[in-house]
């Protein structure tokens, strides 16, 4: 009988930052060879591996839906990551012999490419991984101050001409967008938006619209609204215009409702009350 005690003796890294660096280097070196499912699985395992650094023990049946994949695809992704040596698994059994969740260890790997030295105005190689110390709800005002160059800031007192010009442009984007995504935004939803826009703030605000839909419909599982939101972004991203983002948010919410009714016709009366 395989009784494994989960404790700090299983840790594979000295710190979360060391683990994240290894994962980023691995993705920078081998990411083009991985399936999207394997990439997302590795990032999710890293997020779960903070308490005992490098170690997590999620159930496949629980994690697969959160990644938007089947259990069979989940196991294929595990095997691919194992073949590269970035993770290993330890099987466990309960006292009566029934199989329990596996223990997954993210492993240090030699001969990985060094990450490029990014300047302040360039994007990170990968999305943030184990944001253990990040606040749950980001402060928009502080984030704007941090990413807005002082010389491009607007004066608080505007002339009538300046006010008119400001009204004509609904939204003037920050010259430096958020290069991170708050941890309360599902990574499977944020990833395609970051690929298309490179702005975590956009992902954060659009996820807020998805949560409004979730509150209205009362979905039983978070991955349901995540799946709807991802599908909606795929359908509407060609309509996205950074300078009219407020208008796009409204369009996105309307599209969320239409996609929901397509998937769940019974919710039509809930979303379109007459």
């Amino acid at each position: 009988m395989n009784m494994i005690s989960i404790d700090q003796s299983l840790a594979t890294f000295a710190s979360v930052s060391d683990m994240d660096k290894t994962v980023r280097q691995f993705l920078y070196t081998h990411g083009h060879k991985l399936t999207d499912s394997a990439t997302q699985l590795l990032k999710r395992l890293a997020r779960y591996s903070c308490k005992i650094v490098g170690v997590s023990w999620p159930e496949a049946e629980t994690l697969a839906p959160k990644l938007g994949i089947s259990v069979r695809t989940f196991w294929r992704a595990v095997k691919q990551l194992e073949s590269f040596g970035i993770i290993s698994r330890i099987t466990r059994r309960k006292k009566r012999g029934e199989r329990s969740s596996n223990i997954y260890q993210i492993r240090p790997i030699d001969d990985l490419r060094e990450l490029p030295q990014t300047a302040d105005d360039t994007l990170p190689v990968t999305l943030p991984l184990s944001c253990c110390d990040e606040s749950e709800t980001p402060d928009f005002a502080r984030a704007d101050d941090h990413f807005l160059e002082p010389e491009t800031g607007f004066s608080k007192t505007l002339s009538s001409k300046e006010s008119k010009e400001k009204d004509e442009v609904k939204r003037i984007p920050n010259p430096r967008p958020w290069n991170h995504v708050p941890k309360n935004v599902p990574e499977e939803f944020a990833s395609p938006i970051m690929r298309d826009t490179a702005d975590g703030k956009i992902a954060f605000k659009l996820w807020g619209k998805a949560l409004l839909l979730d509150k209205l419909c009362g979905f039983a599982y978070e991955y349901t609204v995540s799946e709807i939101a991802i599908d909606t972004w795929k359908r509407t991203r060609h309509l996205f215009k950074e300078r009219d983002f407020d208008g796009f948010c409204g369009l996105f919410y309307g599209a969320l409702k239409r996609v929901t009714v397509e998937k769940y016709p019974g919710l039509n009366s809930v979303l379109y009350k007459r």
Side-chain angles (χ1 to χ4, degrees), residues 46-240:
R47 287 173 57 185
Y48 291 168
S49 301
C50 295
K51 188 174 181 180
I52 301 175
V53 183
V55 180
S56 59
W57 49 97
E59 292 276 3
E61 292 75 11
T62 301
L63 188 52
K66 292 184 178 181
L67 296 171
I69 60 177
S70 67
V71 173
R72 180 175 294 182
T73 301
F74 173 90
W75 288 121
R76 284 199 295 265
V78 168
K79 289 180 180 178
Q80 186 179 39
L81 293 175
E82 284 181 315
S83 70
F84 281 92
I86 187 62
I87 70 168
S88 61
R89 66 182 142 154
I90 303 172
T91 58
R92 290 194 302 157
R93 293 189 180 277
K94 299 177 182 178
K95 291 182 178 180
R96 294 184 179 180
E98 304 98 328
R99 183 178 291 276
S100 182
S101 63
N102 290 324
I103 298 172
Y104 299 92
Q105 291 177 305
I106 299 174
R107 314 294 308 191
I109 296 183
D110 297 327
D111 301 325
L112 294 177
R113 296 171 61 190
E114 286 296 325
L115 298 175
Q117 297 296 320
T118 56
D120 290 341
D121 59 347
T122 60
L123 296 175
V125 176
T126 65
L127 294 178
L129 298 175
S130 307
C131 306
C132 302
D133 299 326
E134 188 175 353
S135 60
E136 192 70 34
T137 305
D139 185 329
F140 277 117
R142 288 172 57 194
D144 286 344
D145 291 342
H146 179 68
F147 287 103
L148 187 64
E149 293 286 1
E151 61 269 20
T152 60
F154 292 96
S155 170
K156 293 183 179 180
T157 305
L158 299 176
S159 65
S160 58
K161 181 179 178 180
E162 289 173 327
S163 298
K164 183 178 180 180
E165 290 175 351
K166 186 173 183 295
D167 291 338
E168 290 175 353
V169 180
K170 292 184 178 180
R171 176 180 178 272
I172 299 176
N174 291 336
R176 296 178 64 187
W178 286 17
N179 60 6
H180 72 283
V181 179
K183 67 176 181 180
N184 57 330
V185 180
E187 191 167 359
E188 59 270 21
F189 174 69
S191 292
I193 296 178
M194 287 293 283
R195 284 196 297 267
D196 293 337
T197 69
D199 191 344
K201 188 173 184 178
I202 292 171
F204 178 82
K205 287 196 171 184
L206 293 183
W207 181 244
K209 297 296 181 182
L211 291 181
L212 287 177
L213 178 81
D214 188 25
K215 184 176 181 180
L216 187 61
C217 296
F219 293 118
Y221 302 101
E222 180 181 311
Y223 69 81
T224 302
V225 69
S226 179
E227 177 184 293
I228 291 171
I230 292 169
D231 191 8
T232 302
W233 172 254
K234 289 178 180 178
R235 299 190 193 192
T236 59
R237 62 184 176 185
H238 67 285
L239 301 173
F240 170 77

Side-chain angles (χ1 to χ4, degrees), residues 235-250:
R235 299 190 193 192
T236 59
R237 62 184 176 185
H238 67 285
L239 301 173
F240 170 77
K241 289 184 175 66
E242 191 175 14
R243 289 181 175 273
D244 189 20
F245 180 63
D246 292 338
F248 179 78
C249 280

